Tab-separated table of all heavy atoms in Angstrom:
chain	number	residue	atom	x	y	z
A	1227	HIS	N	-18.722	-46.847	38.465
A	1227	HIS	CA	-17.318	-46.984	38.839
A	1227	HIS	C	-16.992	-46.000	39.951
A	1227	HIS	O	-17.418	-44.834	39.886
A	1227	HIS	CB	-16.409	-46.660	37.668
A	1227	HIS	CG	-16.763	-47.326	36.390
A	1227	HIS	ND1	-16.237	-48.533	36.020
A	1227	HIS	CD2	-17.601	-46.977	35.371
A	1227	HIS	CE1	-16.736	-48.889	34.835
A	1227	HIS	NE2	-17.563	-47.947	34.447
A	1228	ALA	N	-16.219	-46.474	40.923
A	1228	ALA	CA	-15.662	-45.545	41.893
A	1228	ALA	C	-14.304	-45.088	41.337
A	1228	ALA	O	-13.662	-45.803	40.594
A	1228	ALA	CB	-15.459	-46.235	43.238
A	1229	PHE	N	-13.913	-43.872	41.671
A	1229	PHE	CA	-12.648	-43.395	41.099
A	1229	PHE	C	-11.960	-42.440	42.098
A	1229	PHE	O	-12.592	-41.894	43.005
A	1229	PHE	CB	-12.868	-42.657	39.779
A	1229	PHE	CG	-13.500	-41.302	39.933
A	1229	PHE	CD1	-12.724	-40.174	40.081
A	1229	PHE	CD2	-14.872	-41.160	39.964
A	1229	PHE	CE1	-13.284	-38.915	40.242
A	1229	PHE	CE2	-15.448	-39.896	40.115
A	1229	PHE	CZ	-14.670	-38.778	40.280
A	1230	THR	N	-10.665	-42.295	41.889
A	1230	THR	CA	-9.904	-41.275	42.576
A	1230	THR	C	-9.028	-40.574	41.547
A	1230	THR	O	-8.406	-41.227	40.719
A	1230	THR	CB	-8.964	-41.892	43.653
A	1230	THR	OG1	-9.712	-42.838	44.380
A	1230	THR	CG2	-8.464	-40.825	44.589
A	1231	ALA	N	-9.059	-39.261	41.530
A	1231	ALA	CA	-8.228	-38.509	40.572
A	1231	ALA	C	-7.385	-37.531	41.380
A	1231	ALA	O	-7.921	-36.698	42.120
A	1231	ALA	CB	-9.139	-37.771	39.565
A	1232	ASP	N	-6.065	-37.642	41.193
A	1232	ASP	CA	-5.159	-36.734	41.909
A	1232	ASP	C	-5.001	-35.462	41.115
A	1232	ASP	O	-5.187	-35.453	39.896
A	1232	ASP	CB	-3.801	-37.390	42.122
A	1232	ASP	CG	-3.865	-38.474	43.206
A	1232	ASP	OD1	-4.633	-38.241	44.167
A	1232	ASP	OD2	-3.208	-39.499	43.053
A	1233	ARG	N	-4.589	-34.421	41.822
A	1233	ARG	CA	-4.368	-33.153	41.125
A	1233	ARG	C	-3.255	-33.347	40.091
A	1233	ARG	O	-2.227	-33.949	40.352
A	1233	ARG	CB	-3.919	-32.098	42.130
A	1233	ARG	CG	-3.868	-30.724	41.520
A	1233	ARG	CD	-4.100	-29.672	42.557
A	1233	ARG	NE	-3.999	-28.342	41.945
A	1233	ARG	CZ	-4.303	-27.241	42.599
A	1233	ARG	NH1	-4.714	-27.300	43.830
A	1233	ARG	NH2	-4.178	-26.095	42.008
A	1234	ALA	N	-3.496	-32.809	38.919
A	1234	ALA	CA	-2.578	-33.034	37.797
A	1234	ALA	C	-1.797	-31.754	37.498
A	1234	ALA	O	-2.281	-30.649	37.706
A	1234	ALA	CB	-3.368	-33.437	36.541
A	1235	LYS	N	-0.594	-31.964	37.081
A	1235	LYS	CA	0.236	-30.838	36.649
A	1235	LYS	C	0.517	-30.976	35.182
A	1235	LYS	O	0.687	-32.066	34.690
A	1235	LYS	CB	1.583	-30.841	37.414
A	1235	LYS	CG	1.533	-30.177	38.751
A	1235	LYS	CD	2.875	-29.512	39.023
A	1235	LYS	CE	2.873	-28.754	40.331
A	1235	LYS	NZ	3.542	-29.466	41.382
A	1236	LYS	N	0.576	-29.852	34.481
A	1236	LYS	CA	0.903	-29.900	33.064
A	1236	LYS	C	2.173	-30.732	32.845
A	1236	LYS	O	3.077	-30.621	33.642
A	1236	LYS	CB	1.136	-28.494	32.551
A	1236	LYS	CG	-0.108	-27.883	31.932
A	1236	LYS	CD	0.292	-26.633	31.156
A	1236	LYS	CE	-0.821	-26.277	30.170
A	1236	LYS	NZ	-0.470	-25.178	29.325
A	1237	PRO	N	2.254	-31.520	31.810
A	1237	PRO	CA	1.289	-31.667	30.729
A	1237	PRO	C	0.176	-32.700	31.009
A	1237	PRO	O	-0.591	-32.947	30.089
A	1237	PRO	CB	2.154	-32.150	29.585
A	1237	PRO	CG	3.278	-32.910	30.229
A	1237	PRO	CD	3.485	-32.261	31.563
A	1238	SER	N	0.126	-33.286	32.205
A	1238	SER	CA	-0.976	-34.203	32.421
A	1238	SER	C	-2.252	-33.395	32.626
A	1238	SER	O	-2.208	-32.225	33.084
A	1238	SER	CB	-0.687	-35.149	33.565
A	1238	SER	OG	-0.555	-34.454	34.773
A	1239	GLY	N	-3.364	-33.996	32.302
A	1239	GLY	CA	-4.637	-33.261	32.400
A	1239	GLY	C	-5.575	-33.697	31.295
A	1239	GLY	O	-5.452	-34.778	30.737
A	1240	LEU	N	-6.533	-32.810	31.006
A	1240	LEU	CA	-7.612	-33.130	30.103
A	1240	LEU	C	-7.516	-32.292	28.829
A	1240	LEU	O	-7.362	-31.071	28.907
A	1240	LEU	CB	-8.930	-32.843	30.830
A	1240	LEU	CG	-10.242	-33.023	30.071
A	1240	LEU	CD1	-10.324	-34.428	29.501
A	1240	LEU	CD2	-11.389	-32.785	31.025
A	1241	TYR	N	-7.554	-32.953	27.685
A	1241	TYR	CA	-7.417	-32.274	26.400
A	1241	TYR	C	-8.592	-32.616	25.488
A	1241	TYR	O	-9.125	-33.716	25.559
A	1241	TYR	CB	-6.104	-32.637	25.699
A	1241	TYR	CG	-4.914	-32.206	26.452
A	1241	TYR	CD1	-4.410	-32.982	27.477
A	1241	TYR	CD2	-4.280	-30.995	26.171
A	1241	TYR	CE1	-3.298	-32.570	28.210
A	1241	TYR	CE2	-3.182	-30.601	26.882
A	1241	TYR	CZ	-2.689	-31.380	27.896
A	1241	TYR	OH	-1.606	-30.975	28.602
A	1242	ARG	N	-8.915	-31.691	24.621
A	1242	ARG	CA	-10.017	-31.948	23.691
A	1242	ARG	C	-9.708	-31.276	22.354
A	1242	ARG	O	-9.097	-30.224	22.324
A	1242	ARG	CB	-11.304	-31.333	24.239
A	1242	ARG	CG	-12.543	-31.692	23.406
A	1242	ARG	CD	-13.804	-31.201	24.080
A	1242	ARG	NE	-14.963	-31.922	23.595
A	1242	ARG	CZ	-16.192	-31.797	24.081
A	1242	ARG	NH1	-16.384	-31.001	25.103
A	1242	ARG	NH2	-17.193	-32.474	23.592
A	1243	ALA	N	-10.122	-31.936	21.286
A	1243	ALA	CA	-10.016	-31.335	19.969
A	1243	ALA	C	-11.314	-31.588	19.225
A	1243	ALA	O	-11.834	-32.701	19.205
A	1243	ALA	CB	-8.853	-31.938	19.190
A	1244	THR	N	-11.853	-30.551	18.607
A	1244	THR	CA	-13.047	-30.706	17.795
A	1244	THR	C	-12.750	-30.048	16.451
A	1244	THR	O	-12.093	-29.012	16.389
A	1244	THR	CB	-14.284	-30.036	18.419
A	1244	THR	OG1	-13.961	-28.686	18.723
A	1244	THR	CG2	-14.722	-30.755	19.657
A	1245	ALA	N	-13.217	-30.680	15.382
A	1245	ALA	CA	-12.959	-30.158	14.063
A	1245	ALA	C	-13.866	-30.849	13.069
A	1245	ALA	O	-14.515	-31.833	13.401
A	1245	ALA	CB	-11.517	-30.333	13.652
A	1246	THR	N	-13.885	-30.342	11.881
A	1246	THR	CA	-14.542	-31.019	10.802
A	1246	THR	C	-13.473	-31.394	9.791
A	1246	THR	O	-12.792	-30.550	9.241
A	1246	THR	CB	-15.559	-30.086	10.118
A	1246	THR	OG1	-16.396	-29.565	11.152
A	1246	THR	CG2	-16.427	-30.865	9.148
A	1247	VAL	N	-13.307	-32.719	9.582
A	1247	VAL	CA	-12.293	-33.189	8.639
A	1247	VAL	C	-13.019	-33.959	7.567
A	1247	VAL	O	-13.688	-34.947	7.839
A	1247	VAL	CB	-11.258	-34.095	9.334
A	1247	VAL	CG1	-10.275	-34.622	8.320
A	1247	VAL	CG2	-10.513	-33.336	10.440
A	1248	ARG	N	-12.898	-33.531	6.356
A	1248	ARG	CA	-13.571	-34.147	5.222
A	1248	ARG	C	-15.071	-34.377	5.529
A	1248	ARG	O	-15.569	-35.489	5.460
A	1248	ARG	CB	-12.903	-35.466	4.829
A	1248	ARG	CG	-11.543	-35.209	4.261
A	1248	ARG	CD	-11.037	-36.416	3.508
A	1248	ARG	NE	-9.588	-36.380	3.492
A	1248	ARG	CZ	-8.801	-37.162	4.218
A	1248	ARG	NH1	-9.330	-38.095	5.009
A	1248	ARG	NH2	-7.523	-37.057	4.174
A	1249	SER	N	-15.679	-33.356	5.946
A	1249	SER	CA	-17.118	-33.295	6.257
A	1249	SER	C	-17.524	-34.245	7.358
A	1249	SER	O	-18.724	-34.479	7.576
A	1249	SER	CB	-17.988	-33.491	5.022
A	1249	SER	OG	-17.930	-34.852	4.594
A	1250	ALA	N	-16.580	-34.839	8.081
A	1250	ALA	CA	-16.935	-35.633	9.230
A	1250	ALA	C	-16.676	-34.802	10.503
A	1250	ALA	O	-15.652	-34.120	10.598
A	1250	ALA	CB	-16.104	-36.927	9.295
A	1251	THR	N	-17.598	-34.859	11.432
A	1251	THR	CA	-17.437	-34.110	12.674
A	1251	THR	C	-16.590	-34.938	13.644
A	1251	THR	O	-16.929	-36.044	13.973
A	1251	THR	CB	-18.802	-33.791	13.316
A	1251	THR	OG1	-19.592	-33.169	12.326
A	1251	THR	CG2	-18.616	-32.906	14.500
A	1252	ILE	N	-15.463	-34.342	14.021
A	1252	ILE	CA	-14.513	-35.013	14.883
A	1252	ILE	C	-14.624	-34.413	16.279
A	1252	ILE	O	-14.619	-33.196	16.418
A	1252	ILE	CB	-13.079	-34.781	14.360
A	1252	ILE	CG1	-12.938	-35.285	12.921
A	1252	ILE	CG2	-12.064	-35.366	15.308
A	1252	ILE	CD1	-12.621	-36.697	12.805
A	1253	ASP	N	-14.758	-35.262	17.271
A	1253	ASP	CA	-14.709	-34.793	18.652
A	1253	ASP	C	-13.866	-35.775	19.420
A	1253	ASP	O	-14.229	-36.938	19.552
A	1253	ASP	CB	-16.119	-34.712	19.253
A	1253	ASP	CG	-16.104	-34.063	20.619
A	1253	ASP	OD1	-15.012	-33.830	21.166
A	1253	ASP	OD2	-17.194	-33.813	21.159
A	1254	ALA	N	-12.708	-35.340	19.844
A	1254	ALA	CA	-11.798	-36.255	20.507
A	1254	ALA	C	-11.403	-35.716	21.874
A	1254	ALA	O	-11.277	-34.494	22.054
A	1254	ALA	CB	-10.546	-36.480	19.645
A	1255	GLY	N	-11.227	-36.623	22.815
A	1255	GLY	CA	-10.810	-36.255	24.144
A	1255	GLY	C	-9.671	-37.140	24.604
A	1255	GLY	O	-9.590	-38.301	24.237
A	1256	TRP	N	-8.758	-36.537	25.366
A	1256	TRP	CA	-7.617	-37.301	25.896
A	1256	TRP	C	-7.442	-36.996	27.378
A	1256	TRP	O	-7.598	-35.851	27.799
A	1256	TRP	CB	-6.305	-36.911	25.195
A	1256	TRP	CG	-6.203	-37.298	23.763
A	1256	TRP	CD1	-5.607	-38.407	23.287
A	1256	TRP	CD2	-6.667	-36.561	22.650
A	1256	TRP	NE1	-5.683	-38.425	21.910
A	1256	TRP	CE2	-6.324	-37.294	21.477
A	1256	TRP	CE3	-7.331	-35.352	22.481
A	1256	TRP	CZ2	-6.616	-36.854	20.201
A	1256	TRP	CZ3	-7.620	-34.918	21.224
A	1256	TRP	CH2	-7.272	-35.661	20.086
A	1257	ILE	N	-7.087	-38.012	28.104
A	1257	ILE	CA	-6.664	-37.827	29.469
A	1257	ILE	C	-5.204	-38.220	29.511
A	1257	ILE	O	-4.830	-39.339	29.136
A	1257	ILE	CB	-7.488	-38.689	30.446
A	1257	ILE	CG1	-8.947	-38.233	30.410
A	1257	ILE	CG2	-6.908	-38.626	31.823
A	1257	ILE	CD1	-9.911	-39.233	31.000
A	1258	VAL	N	-4.371	-37.269	29.898
A	1258	VAL	CA	-2.937	-37.582	30.040
A	1258	VAL	C	-2.658	-37.743	31.517
A	1258	VAL	O	-2.878	-36.805	32.304
A	1258	VAL	CB	-2.084	-36.458	29.440
A	1258	VAL	CG1	-0.603	-36.768	29.604
A	1258	VAL	CG2	-2.401	-36.245	27.945
A	1259	LEU	N	-2.229	-38.935	31.877
A	1259	LEU	CA	-2.001	-39.239	33.299
A	1259	LEU	C	-0.584	-38.854	33.694
A	1259	LEU	O	0.261	-38.553	32.848
A	1259	LEU	CB	-2.240	-40.725	33.550
A	1259	LEU	CG	-3.683	-41.164	33.288
A	1259	LEU	CD1	-3.803	-42.658	33.283
A	1259	LEU	CD2	-4.607	-40.563	34.325
A	1260	ARG	N	-0.344	-38.896	34.980
A	1260	ARG	CA	0.904	-38.379	35.507
A	1260	ARG	C	2.113	-39.121	34.928
A	1260	ARG	O	3.174	-38.574	34.682
A	1260	ARG	CB	0.920	-38.515	37.021
A	1260	ARG	CG	2.091	-37.820	37.654
A	1260	ARG	CD	2.137	-38.145	39.120
A	1260	ARG	NE	0.906	-37.717	39.780
A	1260	ARG	CZ	0.853	-37.428	41.061
A	1260	ARG	NH1	1.921	-37.541	41.814
A	1260	ARG	NH2	-0.268	-37.066	41.626
A	1261	ASP	N	1.961	-40.442	34.698
A	1261	ASP	CA	3.082	-41.222	34.159
A	1261	ASP	C	3.220	-41.061	32.628
A	1261	ASP	O	4.044	-41.745	32.009
A	1261	ASP	CB	2.917	-42.700	34.512
A	1261	ASP	CG	1.626	-43.286	33.952
A	1261	ASP	OD1	0.913	-42.569	33.243
A	1261	ASP	OD2	1.330	-44.469	34.220
A	1262	GLY	N	2.443	-40.167	32.055
A	1262	GLY	CA	2.557	-39.940	30.629
A	1262	GLY	C	1.610	-40.801	29.788
A	1262	GLY	O	1.504	-40.590	28.591
A	1263	THR	N	0.918	-41.743	30.433
A	1263	THR	CA	-0.031	-42.585	29.707
A	1263	THR	C	-1.161	-41.701	29.159
A	1263	THR	O	-1.619	-40.769	29.854
A	1263	THR	CB	-0.670	-43.606	30.660
A	1263	THR	OG1	0.332	-44.155	31.449
A	1263	THR	CG2	-1.403	-44.693	29.881
A	1264	GLN	N	-1.588	-42.019	27.952
A	1264	GLN	CA	-2.707	-41.260	27.384
A	1264	GLN	C	-3.878	-42.204	27.152
A	1264	GLN	O	-3.707	-43.332	26.676
A	1264	GLN	CB	-2.328	-40.656	26.029
A	1264	GLN	CG	-1.227	-39.641	26.131
A	1264	GLN	CD	-0.963	-38.971	24.790
A	1264	GLN	OE1	-1.679	-39.195	23.836
A	1264	GLN	NE2	0.057	-38.156	24.748
A	1265	VAL	N	-5.059	-41.761	27.562
A	1265	VAL	CA	-6.263	-42.504	27.289
A	1265	VAL	C	-7.167	-41.569	26.502
A	1265	VAL	O	-7.514	-40.502	26.988
A	1265	VAL	CB	-6.947	-42.944	28.606
A	1265	VAL	CG1	-8.135	-43.811	28.319
A	1265	VAL	CG2	-5.963	-43.692	29.478
A	1266	GLY	N	-7.533	-41.983	25.299
A	1266	GLY	CA	-8.342	-41.066	24.487
A	1266	GLY	C	-9.279	-41.820	23.600
A	1266	GLY	O	-9.053	-42.945	23.175
A	1267	VAL	N	-10.370	-41.157	23.277
A	1267	VAL	CA	-11.345	-41.697	22.310
A	1267	VAL	C	-11.663	-40.627	21.307
A	1267	VAL	O	-11.843	-39.451	21.631
A	1267	VAL	CB	-12.642	-42.192	23.019
A	1267	VAL	CG1	-13.767	-42.333	22.027
A	1267	VAL	CG2	-12.413	-43.526	23.700
A	1268	LEU	N	-11.698	-41.072	20.052
A	1268	LEU	CA	-11.990	-40.179	18.949
A	1268	LEU	C	-13.371	-40.555	18.420
A	1268	LEU	O	-13.626	-41.700	18.086
A	1268	LEU	CB	-10.916	-40.380	17.880
A	1268	LEU	CG	-11.159	-39.891	16.470
A	1268	LEU	CD1	-11.209	-38.395	16.455
A	1268	LEU	CD2	-10.039	-40.390	15.580
A	1269	THR	N	-14.238	-39.569	18.330
A	1269	THR	CA	-15.580	-39.837	17.829
A	1269	THR	C	-15.749	-39.160	16.475
A	1269	THR	O	-15.594	-37.943	16.355
A	1269	THR	CB	-16.657	-39.295	18.795
A	1269	THR	OG1	-16.347	-39.781	20.097
A	1269	THR	CG2	-18.031	-39.715	18.395
A	1270	ARG	N	-15.985	-40.005	15.419
A	1270	ARG	CA	-16.214	-39.485	14.088
A	1270	ARG	C	-17.680	-39.629	13.786
A	1270	ARG	O	-18.160	-40.754	13.666
A	1270	ARG	CB	-15.459	-40.349	13.062
A	1270	ARG	CG	-14.117	-39.804	12.676
A	1270	ARG	CD	-13.581	-40.689	11.529
A	1270	ARG	NE	-12.148	-40.752	11.611
A	1270	ARG	CZ	-11.485	-41.685	12.320
A	1270	ARG	NH1	-12.156	-42.591	12.999
A	1270	ARG	NH2	-10.190	-41.686	12.348
A	1271	ASP	N	-18.367	-38.520	13.671
A	1271	ASP	CA	-19.807	-38.531	13.406
A	1271	ASP	C	-20.537	-39.499	14.352
A	1271	ASP	O	-21.344	-40.321	13.930
A	1271	ASP	CB	-20.093	-38.926	11.952
A	1271	ASP	CG	-19.791	-37.778	11.018
A	1271	ASP	OD1	-19.842	-36.613	11.478
A	1271	ASP	OD2	-19.534	-38.028	9.843
A	1272	GLY	N	-20.154	-39.452	15.618
A	1272	GLY	CA	-20.812	-40.294	16.626
A	1272	GLY	C	-20.266	-41.687	16.750
A	1272	GLY	O	-20.722	-42.444	17.627
A	1273	GLU	N	-19.261	-42.068	15.943
A	1273	GLU	CA	-18.693	-43.412	16.030
A	1273	GLU	C	-17.394	-43.370	16.799
A	1273	GLU	O	-16.407	-42.774	16.360
A	1273	GLU	CB	-18.381	-43.929	14.592
A	1273	GLU	CG	-19.560	-44.549	13.888
A	1273	GLU	CD	-20.109	-45.780	14.621
A	1273	GLU	OE1	-19.292	-46.670	14.985
A	1273	GLU	OE2	-21.339	-45.835	14.812
A	1274	PRO	N	-17.345	-43.968	18.004
A	1274	PRO	CA	-16.129	-43.881	18.806
A	1274	PRO	C	-15.063	-44.859	18.364
A	1274	PRO	O	-15.374	-45.971	17.885
A	1274	PRO	CB	-16.610	-44.219	20.232
A	1274	PRO	CG	-17.848	-45.010	20.024
A	1274	PRO	CD	-18.447	-44.664	18.683
A	1275	SER	N	-13.823	-44.480	18.519
A	1275	SER	CA	-12.689	-45.387	18.240
A	1275	SER	C	-11.517	-44.855	19.066
A	1275	SER	O	-11.517	-43.734	19.533
A	1275	SER	CB	-12.342	-45.369	16.756
A	1275	SER	OG	-11.962	-44.093	16.357
A	1276	PRO	N	-10.449	-45.708	19.227
A	1276	PRO	CA	-9.297	-45.226	19.966
A	1276	PRO	C	-8.676	-44.010	19.302
A	1276	PRO	O	-8.614	-43.951	18.067
A	1276	PRO	CB	-8.348	-46.421	19.960
A	1276	PRO	CG	-9.212	-47.604	19.707
A	1276	PRO	CD	-10.332	-47.132	18.852
A	1277	ALA	N	-8.230	-43.069	20.078
A	1277	ALA	CA	-7.668	-41.838	19.518
A	1277	ALA	C	-6.160	-41.983	19.351
A	1277	ALA	O	-5.518	-42.676	20.124
A	1277	ALA	CB	-7.976	-40.672	20.424
A	1278	PRO	N	-5.608	-41.336	18.300
A	1278	PRO	CA	-4.158	-41.342	18.169
A	1278	PRO	C	-3.515	-40.526	19.296
A	1278	PRO	O	-4.175	-39.747	19.946
A	1278	PRO	CB	-3.930	-40.685	16.837
A	1278	PRO	CG	-5.150	-39.890	16.600
A	1278	PRO	CD	-6.280	-40.578	17.248
A	1279	ARG	N	-2.254	-40.724	19.504
A	1279	ARG	CA	-1.549	-40.021	20.563
A	1279	ARG	C	-1.407	-38.551	20.243
A	1279	ARG	O	-1.227	-38.179	19.100
A	1279	ARG	CB	-0.141	-40.623	20.776
A	1279	ARG	CG	-0.112	-41.827	21.662
A	1279	ARG	CD	1.313	-42.279	21.843
A	1279	ARG	NE	2.089	-41.355	22.675
A	1279	ARG	CZ	2.048	-41.376	24.019
A	1279	ARG	NH1	1.338	-42.251	24.664
A	1279	ARG	NH2	2.772	-40.516	24.699
A	1280	ILE	N	-1.470	-37.734	21.268
A	1280	ILE	CA	-1.169	-36.313	21.078
A	1280	ILE	C	0.231	-36.059	21.614
A	1280	ILE	O	0.739	-36.812	22.451
A	1280	ILE	CB	-2.196	-35.385	21.779
A	1280	ILE	CG1	-2.179	-35.624	23.297
A	1280	ILE	CG2	-3.552	-35.563	21.227
A	1280	ILE	CD1	-2.957	-34.591	24.063
A	1281	ASP	N	0.813	-34.995	21.138
A	1281	ASP	CA	2.044	-34.523	21.741
A	1281	ASP	C	1.633	-33.701	22.993
A	1281	ASP	O	1.046	-32.620	22.825
A	1281	ASP	CB	2.800	-33.653	20.732
A	1281	ASP	CG	4.044	-33.065	21.334
A	1281	ASP	OD1	4.243	-33.155	22.541
A	1281	ASP	OD2	4.855	-32.527	20.558
A	1282	PRO	N	1.890	-34.205	24.193
A	1282	PRO	CA	1.351	-33.501	25.344
A	1282	PRO	C	1.923	-32.116	25.556
A	1282	PRO	O	1.321	-31.289	26.235
A	1282	PRO	CB	1.713	-34.441	26.520
A	1282	PRO	CG	2.760	-35.320	26.014
A	1282	PRO	CD	2.657	-35.419	24.525
A	1283	GLU	N	3.072	-31.838	24.964
A	1283	GLU	CA	3.641	-30.496	25.124
A	1283	GLU	C	2.891	-29.493	24.300
A	1283	GLU	O	2.645	-28.368	24.751
A	1283	GLU	CB	5.130	-30.510	24.699
A	1283	GLU	CG	6.032	-31.315	25.600
A	1283	GLU	CD	6.053	-30.763	27.038
A	1283	GLU	OE1	5.919	-29.553	27.188
A	1283	GLU	OE2	6.208	-31.576	27.971
A	1284	THR	N	2.572	-29.846	23.050
A	1284	THR	CA	1.952	-28.859	22.166
A	1284	THR	C	0.486	-29.162	21.869
A	1284	THR	O	-0.223	-28.296	21.340
A	1284	THR	CB	2.681	-28.807	20.835
A	1284	THR	OG1	2.578	-30.107	20.219
A	1284	THR	CG2	4.150	-28.474	21.005
A	1285	GLY	N	0.030	-30.377	22.172
A	1285	GLY	CA	-1.316	-30.738	21.823
A	1285	GLY	C	-1.478	-31.110	20.359
A	1285	GLY	O	-2.592	-31.345	19.887
A	1286	ALA	N	-0.387	-31.221	19.640
A	1286	ALA	CA	-0.487	-31.532	18.191
A	1286	ALA	C	-0.859	-32.997	18.016
A	1286	ALA	O	-0.386	-33.890	18.724
A	1286	ALA	CB	0.838	-31.243	17.520
A	1287	VAL	N	-1.773	-33.243	17.076
A	1287	VAL	CA	-2.202	-34.617	16.807
A	1287	VAL	C	-2.655	-34.646	15.331
A	1287	VAL	O	-3.150	-33.654	14.792
A	1287	VAL	CB	-3.346	-35.042	17.714
A	1287	VAL	CG1	-4.534	-34.102	17.611
A	1287	VAL	CG2	-3.733	-36.485	17.479
A	1288	THR	N	-2.405	-35.771	14.693
A	1288	THR	CA	-2.824	-35.922	13.314
A	1288	THR	C	-4.031	-36.852	13.258
A	1288	THR	O	-3.948	-38.005	13.694
A	1288	THR	CB	-1.690	-36.469	12.447
A	1288	THR	OG1	-0.548	-35.650	12.653
A	1288	THR	CG2	-2.056	-36.454	10.989
A	1289	ILE	N	-5.129	-36.344	12.743
A	1289	ILE	CA	-6.376	-37.156	12.635
A	1289	ILE	C	-6.786	-37.157	11.181
A	1289	ILE	O	-6.996	-36.100	10.600
A	1289	ILE	CB	-7.477	-36.570	13.520
A	1289	ILE	CG1	-7.085	-36.713	14.987
A	1289	ILE	CG2	-8.781	-37.290	13.247
A	1289	ILE	CD1	-8.066	-36.086	15.935
A	1290	ASP	N	-6.877	-38.384	10.607
A	1290	ASP	CA	-7.257	-38.531	9.208
A	1290	ASP	C	-6.416	-37.671	8.301
A	1290	ASP	O	-6.945	-36.999	7.386
A	1290	ASP	CB	-8.757	-38.218	8.995
A	1290	ASP	CG	-9.622	-39.209	9.772
A	1290	ASP	OD1	-9.087	-40.235	10.195
A	1290	ASP	OD2	-10.797	-38.927	9.979
A	1291	GLY	N	-5.142	-37.622	8.578
A	1291	GLY	CA	-4.224	-36.862	7.726
A	1291	GLY	C	-4.231	-35.377	7.971
A	1291	GLY	O	-3.537	-34.630	7.299
Side-chain angles (χ1 to χ4, degrees):
Chain A
H1227 312 269
F1229 74 91
T1230 315
D1232 287 325
R1233 189 153 178 172
K1235 273 214 178 103
K1236 266 193 161 184
S1238 63
L1240 177 54
Y1241 295 84
R1242 187 175 201 173
T1244 53
T1246 309
V1247 178
R1248 292 197 204 105
S1249 73
T1251 306
I1252 302 275
D1253 186 352
W1256 291 266
I1257 296 164
V1258 179
L1259 297 169
R1260 189 189 300 205
D1261 60 3
T1263 317
Q1264 296 185 7
V1265 184
V1267 161
L1268 163 67
T1269 308
R1270 265 187 212 88
D1271 284 336
E1273 277 298 313
S1275 62
R1279 277 183 69 83
I1280 61 170
D1281 177 349
E1283 293 297 329
T1284 62
V1287 60
T1288 307
I1289 294 176
D1290 297 345

